[in-house]
Amino acid sequence: MNKTLFFASLKANWKLWLGMFLVLLMYISMLIGMYDPENAKGMEAIVATLPPAIVSAFGFNAIGYDLTNHIGTYLYGFLFLIFPLIYTVTVSNKLIARHIDRGSMVYLLATPNTRKKIVLTQAAFLFSSIIALLILSIAMGLLVSEMMFPGMLDIDKYLLLNLVTVAVHLAICGIAFLASCIFSESKNSLMVGVGIPLIFLMFRMLSSVGDKLSGLKYLSLFSFIDVPKIFSNPGYAWWSSGLLLLMTIILLLISVRIFDKKSMNI
Amino acid sequence: MIKVQQLTQIYKSGKGIFDLNFEIKEGEVFGYLGPNGSGKTTTIRNIMGFANANEGRVTIRGLDCRKDTAELRKIIGYLPGEIAFFDNMTGFEFLKFVGDMHLMKSNERRDKLIDQFELETEGKIRKMSKGMKQKLGIIATFMIDPEIYILDEPTSGLDPFMQNEFMELVDKEKSRGKTIMMSSHIFEEVERSCDRAGIIREGRLVTIEDLKSLKAMKSREFIVTLNTKEDAQKLEKSGLETHAMGKRKIKVHVGENFDGFIKVLSALKVLNLDVQQRSLEDIFMTYYGKNGGQHE
């Protein structure tokens, strides 16, 4: 890994990172604050005012009403998916494809570093920054819960849910990074690197709307974040995370190889 | 030192470079001349190991330019033709970044170059003018003090004063024994400091010549404007190779016959005397004869 490049990437992307973190922090605090242990019906009342299709699309289907379920339902149905996703797809494209498209890749490749080292450094930045974003957000969720409702969060379940969520985000990261390595034009890299994760998200939302579309869930990585299943079956959380991590590693290895062999017109 | 062998890279459009063979010697300044779109940059992309050739290869001191890149980059300084930087950086941050990536030990050379080219390093790169960016690129290339320079159209965007400053820098590096390859579409730029030049056209190497022989090929033409029609007629009948461009404006192909030309002019009233700008096309024409029939 090349430290100079790592810090240059950090400098180019920290604002977006911070933005996403603050947005997540806001939603985490807001949604946890909305939990009312005395009168969970208040939440149900809000949900009841929304059209049923929207309620299920955003995963707001009530599945029991303790704090852990509340978080799982309202945060992990959409918000905790979309904001890290925005970070992932934007940064993935910027780290490789955009440099090739613009020609600034020259200034990375013309230095005494192998292509492998360059691409691995960029991957290291991408993965470590998304992991940092998620872990800090998860920690903030824990902190806010304990401050507002001490002892009410089932920490084991909460961590299992996040294990799967992090694993899904890493796999998505792998896809976006691969797209960035394959395509030499930013617009193509974005089309695939943003398109596939967005389609996954759309499929997940559509699949929970009605039975007709429920088959779509098999076409989306986000379906691994199956809150009731994770809470009732810890084994599922472990093996699905393992599977997703394996997938991430394979995607990363392919990305490195493609970048190493690629012919660039820069 | 730099050996290009059977190098072929064909793009989807059918353009590209075809079976290039040439060698650049250690300590030599090699000009690489060709019109826009002739394949200069494609050749350089292969020397730098950015692109994958369809056939052939480039080696530097026996090392493969596509595979042994990390090793070779320690001795090569590269100036891209179309410079794109990291636009969120300031000029200074960029130079520091490049220096760190190259593990540059001292900043002395960098700071001297900044002074010499009068570069303002404070502003964001994205707001710099084209000439300013070109200077920044030149400094980033020369500050690492490489053994080999690969320069793709290095003076484009520079004003004449800075062009001169740059050519002096090239001369200085040449005297320090550096090997330099410099591409250009302007003959004069190559003429000044190159030992030899290769001419590429439509992806094929037309010729490699000593600069002396190339200079001899330049068509020496002057455009003379005379005071009266009568003088113009006298000039046309003088036996020199002439071509009327207007009633009193005549192009004279002088060749080596400067003395004869001056003697004829001395008897006439000359209002203006211009040197005909020679383009690369003219040199091709000279090389292939007037009809250019052998171009393909």
Side-chain angles (χ1 to χ4, degrees):
Chain A
M1 212 186 71
N2 184 300
K3 240 166 63 181
T4 308
L5 177 57
F6 188 93
F7 284 111
S9 298
L10 178 66
K11 199 160 174 266
N13 294 297
W14 71 270
K15 279 183 194 156
L16 179 65
W17 188 97
L18 189 66
M20 289 299 127
F21 177 66
L22 291 177
V23 170
L24 276 170
L25 187 60
M26 181 189 84
Y27 278 114
I28 288 167
S29 322
M30 215 168 80
L31 276 155
I32 292 175
M34 278 161 78
Y35 179 66
D36 185 351
E38 299 303 317
N39 187 10
K41 279 180 189 140
M43 198 70 203
E44 278 169 6
I46 295 170
V47 171
T49 62
L50 301 168
I54 287 182
V55 171
S56 36
F58 284 84
F60 290 174
N61 297 333
I63 40 164
Y65 241 88
D66 62 15
L67 177 61
T68 320
N69 274 318
H70 173 89
I71 291 175
T73 309
Y74 293 100
L75 266 178
Y76 290 74
F78 183 71
L79 299 170
F80 220 81
L81 309 185
I82 187 73
F83 293 110
L85 184 68
I86 292 171
Y87 177 80
T88 299
V89 295
T90 313
V91 175
S92 297
N93 175 60
K94 268 172 83 180
L95 288 174
I96 303 285
R98 192 154 171 270
H99 280 312
I100 298 177
D101 195 2
R102 286 172 38 89
S104 45
M105 181 57 79
V106 161
Y107 279 104
L108 303 183
L109 293 188
T111 60
N113 297 287
T114 58
R115 283 195 190 185
K116 278 198 180 106
K117 199 169 175 182
I118 300 287
V119 68
L120 280 173
T121 302
Q122 298 293 58
F125 171 74
L126 176 64
F127 282 94
S128 59
S129 64
I130 187 76
I131 288 172
L133 178 66
L134 292 168
I135 287 188
L136 273 174
S137 305
I138 292 162
M140 292 316 287
L142 193 63
L143 198 73
V144 172
S145 299
E146 287 301 314
M147 270 164 54
M148 289 182 168
F149 309 102
M152 290 182 77
L153 184 71
D154 184 334
I155 294 177
D156 283 351
K157 278 185 182 173
Y158 177 73
L159 290 181
L160 277 179
L161 170 62
N162 280 303
L163 177 71
V164 180
T165 307
V166 171
V168 168
H169 276 302
L170 292 184
I172 298 278
C173 219
I175 292 171
F177 194 68
L178 178 62
S180 188
C181 287
I182 291 176
F183 298 103
S184 297
E185 278 180 46
S186 226
K187 64 171 200 273
N188 296 334
S189 148
L190 278 174
M191 211 162 68
V192 175
V194 176
I196 292 178
L198 275 187
I199 286 170
F200 281 167
L201 196 58
M202 219 171 68
F203 280 0
R204 175 185 158 100
M205 291 167 79
L206 287 175
S207 69
S208 48
V209 171
D211 289 340
K212 273 187 200 160
L213 297 170
S214 67
L216 286 176
K217 75 173 181 193
Y218 296 108
L219 297 173
S220 169
L221 281 184
F222 288 116
S223 305
F224 278 105
I225 310 174
D226 183 335
V227 182
K229 207 166 170 182
I230 293 168
F231 286 172
S232 61
N233 182 0
Y236 163 79
W238 286 107
W239 73 252
S240 55
S241 307
L243 190 73
L244 287 160
L245 276 183
L246 187 70
M247 187 178 152
T248 309
I249 291 167
I250 292 169
L251 285 166
L252 185 58
L253 290 177
I254 299 173
S255 307
V256 171
R257 193 176 159 76
I258 284 178
F259 183 76
D260 194 35
K261 300 288 170 203
K262 191 181 175 92
S263 185
M264 290 179 231
N265 295 326
I266 46 176
Chain B
M1 178 180 220
I2 302 177
K3 220 173 180 175
V4 177
Q5 293 161 291
Q6 280 118 46
L7 190 66
T8 303
Q9 187 186 357
I10 305 166
Y11 295 114
K12 277 182 197 138
S13 62
K15 281 189 158 193
I17 46 175
F18 307 93
D19 194 30
L20 299 182
N21 289 285
F22 61 92
E23 193 172 348
I24 301 172
K25 293 172 211 141
E26 184 117 33
E28 179 178 45
V29 181
F30 185 86
Y32 198 46
L33 275 167
N36 294 325
S38 56
K40 297 188 297 287
T41 301
T42 305
T43 313
I44 288 175
R45 275 178 196 146
N46 278 281
I47 295 176
M48 289 305 294
F50 299 150
N52 300 346
N54 296 88
E55 264 171 71
R57 62 189 213 133
V58 187
T59 55
I60 296 180
R61 289 185 181 154
L63 294 170
D64 189 295
C65 284
R66 178 65 181 85
K67 292 184 186 109
D68 307 314
T69 47
E71 203 53 41
L72 282 172
R73 303 284 158 63
K74 288 178 193 159
I75 55 169
I76 301 179
Y78 171 54
L79 179 67
E82 270 177 51
I83 311 185
F85 302 100
F86 290 49
D87 49 8
N88 63 321
M89 292 183 181
T90 66
F92 188 77
E93 283 168 342
F94 177 74
L95 291 176
K96 189 172 178 325
F97 172 72
V98 172
D100 288 348
M101 289 291 279
H102 279 276
L103 306 173
M104 199 170 73
K105 286 179 194 82
S106 152
N107 294 328
E108 195 187 322
R109 197 173 149 84
R110 178 192 73 192
D111 298 338
K112 242 169 94 181
L113 284 165
I114 291 175
D115 280 349
Q116 187 184 346
F117 282 92
E118 297 166 15
L119 181 76
E120 287 149 34
T121 54
E122 292 312 310
K124 290 264 185 213
I125 296 175
R126 127 169 68 83
K127 294 198 173 140
M128 287 184 181
S129 68
K130 184 165 174 1
M132 204 52 104
K133 283 183 185 167
Q134 189 69 19
K135 286 190 208 172
L136 182 61
I138 288 170
I139 295 171
T141 309
F142 281 74
M143 70 177 185
I144 57 170
D145 200 13
E147 291 174 43
I148 303 168
Y149 288 95
I150 308 285
L151 311 170
D152 196 357
E153 307 210 352
T155 59
S156 67
L158 294 184
D159 61 49
F161 177 72
M162 281 302 156
Q163 278 184 18
N164 196 48
E165 200 75 16
F166 173 78
M167 295 313 288
E168 271 170 25
L169 186 62
V170 168
D171 288 343
K172 201 171 143 203
E173 292 306 292
K174 181 185 174 181
S175 68
R176 292 173 70 209
K178 305 295 175 75
T179 307
I180 300 167
M181 174 181 186
M182 199 168 110
S183 85
S184 178
H185 58 271
I186 304 159
F187 184 76
E188 277 69 19
E189 206 173 272
V190 167
E191 185 179 24
R192 180 165 154 183
S193 41
C194 291
D195 304 310
R196 286 192 309 149
I199 296 181
I200 182 172
R201 188 172 194 210
E202 287 169 6
R204 291 173 208 277
L205 204 61
V206 178
T207 179
I208 296 180
E209 295 278 353
D210 283 346
L211 250 289
K212 272 184 208 147
S213 4
L214 273 179
K215 276 182 197 168
M217 260 175 229
K218 286 193 319 195
S219 56
R220 293 189 171 85
E221 284 174 336
F222 293 88
I223 296 169
V224 187
T225 311
L226 296 149
N227 194 26
T228 59
K229 268 192 206 169
E230 289 69 35
D231 274 358
Q233 280 164 2
K234 275 186 203 162
L235 181 58
E236 281 176 317
K237 286 173 187 158
S238 66
L240 291 168
E241 191 183 329
T242 57
H243 176 78
M245 295 182 78
K247 275 179 191 164
R248 288 171 295 143
K249 206 170 175 184
I250 292 171
K251 185 157 88 178
V252 184
H253 182 84
V254 175
E256 304 285 320
N257 187 17
F258 290 106
D259 195 49
F261 177 55
I262 299 283
K263 277 181 181 145
V264 171
L265 286 192
S266 64
L268 310 169
K269 185 159 186 189
V270 179
L271 292 183
N272 194 12
L273 181 62
D274 260 334
V275 180
Q276 167 81 2
Q277 286 295 326
R278 298 164 308 266
S279 67
L280 254 189
E281 286 300 310
D282 291 333
I283 295 175
F284 287 127
M285 297 290 258
T286 319
Y287 193 77
Y288 282 113
K290 286 244 144 105
N291 58 4
Q294 295 176 48
H295 276 182
E296 286 305 309

